[in-house]
Amino acid sequence: MNDCIFCRIVQGTVPSAKIYEDDAVLAFMDIGPIIKGHALVIPKVHYATLTDVPPDLAARLIAVVQRVAAAQQTALQADGVNIHQSNGACAGQVVPHVHFHVIPRFTNDGHRWNWAATKYEAPAEMTALAQRLRAALIP
Ligand code: AMP
Ligand code: ZN
């Protein structure tokens, strides 16, 4: 996909600061870091969202996410790490090539997620949704 910025990074026609590369997975620095050291992990083949990715490849992506998170802790002395992953424009996905954000966190780094918990009307509402999800799970 020539109009995909991450495919162009994979092809090498757009520069990136690479952290890790193998035949299927690439990790590189995000140019607009939430926190300095923020990295991205992508498959080399273009898939739009996480649910499009074959499970074997998803497992390989997660293994690299784990290694990059560990490197942020050892090399950057991160105190913690956030993994962020968006699917679809309504979820905040801007680049439509599936990617995991790996964001190092430091005590008192000042960043706050805008995460406001809500409530179900009643327990039955939650259990009904759970039932619908159980029925829809692909084995
Ligand atoms: P999302 O909003 O989850 O789609 O995130 C897309 C991310 O890609 C943003 O954090 C951008 O800063 C990052 N990004 C966009 N273009 C580049 C690029 N050329 N090199 C590195 N990161 C990029
Ligand atoms: Zn792509």
Side-chain angles (χ1 to χ4, degrees):
M1 297 248 312
N2 281 335
D3 58 346
C4 171
I5 185 78
F6 288 175
C7 283
R8 292 177 67 192
I9 285 173
V10 170
Q11 291 156 7
T13 55
V14 167
S16 68
K18 291 181 185 172
I19 302 167
Y20 173 84
E21 182 171 19
D22 63 30
D23 60 309
V25 181
L26 176 65
F28 57 100
M29 300 298 276
D30 191 307
I31 45 163
I34 300 236
I35 302 286
K36 289 177 182 173
H38 179 166
L40 298 170
V41 177
I42 67 170
K44 286 190 168 178
V45 171
H46 183 98
Y47 294 98
T49 69
L50 186 60
T51 48
D52 298 321
V53 177
D56 288 357
L57 178 56
R60 290 183 64 178
L61 288 165
I62 289 292
V64 175
V65 166
Q66 190 179 39
R67 291 173 68 189
V68 171
Q72 289 172 338
Q73 291 171 294
T74 55
L76 309 183
Q77 284 79 52
D79 301 306
V81 178
N82 279 123
I83 308 302
H84 188 83
Q85 204 278 318
S86 302
N87 302 282
C90 74
Q93 184 178 13
V94 173
V95 177
H97 180 133
V98 63
H99 51 280
F100 289 85
H101 296 264
V102 188
I103 303 165
R105 298 301 307 271
F106 301 89
T107 304
N108 301 322
D109 63 25
H111 181 71
R112 294 282 176 274
W113 298 104
N114 183 21
W115 185 305
T118 62
K119 284 188 160 74
Y120 289 104
E121 298 296 326
E125 185 186 12
M126 184 175 75
T127 54
L129 288 170
Q131 167 55 28
R132 283 171 60 188
L133 292 173
R134 271 197 302 276
L137 276 184
I138 295 170

